[in-house]
Amino acid sequence: MEMLPLTVIEVVKMVMRRVDLRSDTVTKPTETMRAAMASAEVDDDVLGHDPTAARLEMEMARIMGKEAALFVPSGTMANLICVLTHCEIRGSEVILGDNSHIHIYENGGISTIGGVHPRTVKNNEDGTMDIDLIEAAIRDPAFEICYPTTRLICLENSHAHSGGRCLSVEYTDEVGELAKKHGVKLHIDGARIFNASIALGVPLHRLVQAADSVTACLSKGLGAPVGTIIAGSKSFIAKAKILRKTLGGGMRQVGVLCAAALVALEENVSKLEGDHQKAKILAEGLNKIKGLKVDMASVQTNIVYFDILKGSNITKTHLCKILEAHGVLTMPEGPFKLRLVVHHQISESDVQYTLSCIQKAVTGFIGENGGK
């Protein structure tokens, strides 16, 4: 069959720059990761014999200062496993933030699958919950004839909905002490805990020392293609492993995936500080564009939220379409807000290109077809 010549538009699309800022989950495996995956030593991990999975789990347990660790397919499954392991009795109650990822973005799994009741406490702008409000939310066991039993408190660090803000080690320790006082457990959703550790300048194991369990996503800032790690005591991980199988998360030659995660730990943790710096450059540039606003205090890690102010020349929908037409992908968050997330495959040049596109779009200099 004769090949038809490409149109000018098709050629432009082929060579057009692509800057994907929707999330840090969009990264592609590096060549080093692909090579490690291809040569990974594997066995059946459900039976506990995959050597690469075991090596990753041992390394992550060491980094996080816990006795043991477990590889699971996703952060949502990881949090669900942790909540269900701590709350073995149906009807247990967990205290968590009203803007936490577990409460908003994980399909209500702790309730629909685990029969666990969420009791929300207001998240402050910095992602914390007031200590006195957490304590007030803990049920009085003397009235268990009516109340559900509080068995768990959940924190999130960094806090995604608050713009990637970090919970300090002092705050985390204080919540840990409160949990011990009342005989409940503390879980940390650490999807971006490596980002928090770097931003705070606190070793990861110290940052999560107060937690009975903690998760760390491997496919966000670290750039691995798949997976999350759960860390905790040996007895906790033994129970978690059974729940992983129950929920369909037990995989066989999973070392193929764990090999990429080991490369991510070796190569990409050191890049997180650069991601944070590029996020600040992006935020500062956005703040200089008339009609847009960034809360600079919220830009602590790799996430940037910006608001389109009332009276601006452009709507959120129109801006997203123009940016997409110029190869810049973003994540809408509400009627006047957009989210941009920097990762290790975003360069300083990409940041400047993004700012240029947004500036021109807001001022009406470019449109969806590239013209004014």
Side-chain angles (χ1 to χ4, degrees):
M1 182 181 292
E2 185 179 351
M3 295 292 291
L4 296 175
L6 292 172
T7 66
V8 173
I9 292 176
E10 286 172 329
V11 172
V12 169
K13 285 183 176 179
M14 286 176 65
V15 300
M16 185 175 64
R17 186 171 193 163
R18 181 183 174 92
V19 182
D20 196 339
L21 295 163
R22 292 171 298 166
S23 178
D24 45 8
T25 59
V26 301
T27 56
K28 307 298 188 291
T30 64
E31 289 304 315
T32 312
M33 289 180 189
R34 292 177 189 272
M37 294 169 77
S39 62
E41 187 181 357
V42 298
D43 202 326
D44 190 326
D45 188 53
V46 174
L47 300 180
H49 298 309
D50 190 294
T52 307
R55 187 155 61 93
L56 173 65
E57 290 166 348
M58 287 177 62
E59 177 62 8
M60 286 296 292
R62 183 192 67 78
I63 291 171
M64 301 170 90
K66 303 300 180 186
E67 290 180 351
L70 183 70
F71 180 89
V72 301
S74 72
T76 294
M77 182 181 285
N79 283 327
L80 179 59
I81 288 171
C82 289
V83 172
L84 268 56
T85 302
H86 289 302
C87 301
E88 295 179 282
I89 300 173
R90 293 183 67 85
S92 298
E93 190 166 74
V94 54
I95 295 171
L96 72 176
D98 63 343
N99 276 328
S100 65
H101 197 280
I102 293 175
H103 184 59
I104 299 176
Y105 297 112
E106 298 183 10
N107 303 104
I110 63 172
S111 299
T112 56
I113 297 174
V116 177
H117 186 253
R119 189 170 201 196
T120 58
V121 172
K122 178 179 172 54
N123 277 122
N124 298 315
E125 286 188 359
D126 63 359
T128 63
M129 298 175 282
D130 289 347
I131 297 293
D132 58 342
L133 293 181
I134 297 174
E135 185 161 31
I138 297 173
R139 302 290 188 175
D140 182 356
F143 205 51
E144 64 180 359
I145 188 67
C146 292
Y147 290 156
T149 300
T150 305
R151 288 194 165 86
L152 182 64
I153 300 169
C154 291
L155 299 178
E156 181 182 334
N157 199 10
S158 65
H159 197 275
H161 210 275
S162 298
R165 295 198 198 195
C166 306
L167 309 187
S168 71
V169 67
E170 294 81 9
Y171 173 80
T172 305
D173 286 349
E174 193 171 357
V175 176
E177 287 301 316
L178 177 66
K180 288 180 182 177
K181 174 183 172 183
H182 291 276
V184 302
K185 301 297 184 179
L186 173 62
H187 170 66
I188 296 178
D189 173 3
R192 295 184 176 91
I193 194 69
F194 280 90
N195 292 87
S197 172
I198 295 295
L200 294 169
V202 178
L204 202 157
H205 67 88
R206 178 64 190 89
L207 190 56
V208 301
Q209 183 176 299
D212 296 286
S213 62
V214 58
T215 62
C217 186
L218 301 163
S219 61
K220 288 190 167 70
L222 296 185
V226 179
T228 289
I229 286 287
I230 300 170
S233 67
K234 289 181 180 179
S235 61
F236 178 87
I237 294 300
K239 293 177 181 178
K241 190 170 186 178
I242 295 170
L243 267 173
R244 182 184 69 175
K245 184 69 166 64
T246 304
L247 295 172
M251 296 182 285
R252 301 299 178 177
Q253 286 70 37
V254 75
V256 172
L257 299 176
C258 294
L262 284 164
V263 173
L265 288 175
E266 183 178 343
E267 295 187 350
N268 292 343
V269 174
S270 61
K271 298 176 183 177
L272 294 177
E273 186 173 2
D275 294 344
H276 300 171
Q277 291 170 352
K278 283 176 277 191
K280 286 183 172 61
I281 292 169
L282 183 59
E284 289 166 355
L286 289 167
N287 245 353
K288 294 176 182 176
I289 299 174
K290 186 177 180 181
L292 306 181
K293 182 176 176 56
V294 177
D295 176 8
M296 290 302 299
S298 72
V299 186
Q300 296 179 2
T301 52
N302 64 324
I303 300 175
V304 178
Y305 283 101
F306 71 90
D307 294 304
I308 301 173
L309 301 177
K310 291 182 179 179
S312 176
N313 296 327
I314 198 165
T315 65
K316 175 201 71 175
T317 302
H318 192 205
L319 177 57
C320 287
K321 286 182 178 179
I322 292 174
L323 292 176
E324 185 174 358
H326 290 80
V328 179
L329 304 182
T330 64
M331 183 76 76
E333 291 274 347
F336 304 104
K337 189 184 292 288
L338 273 77
R339 188 185 82 162
L340 310 175
V341 184
V342 177
H343 47 80
H344 77 97
Q345 291 175 343
I346 297 295
S347 66
E348 291 185 20
S349 175
D350 291 332
V351 170
Q352 295 304 324
Y353 175 74
T354 299
L355 288 171
S356 175
C357 288
I358 294 174
Q359 170 78 55
K360 292 174 181 177
V362 171
T363 58
F365 188 74
I366 58 172
E368 291 176 49
N369 61 359
K372 184 172 181 179

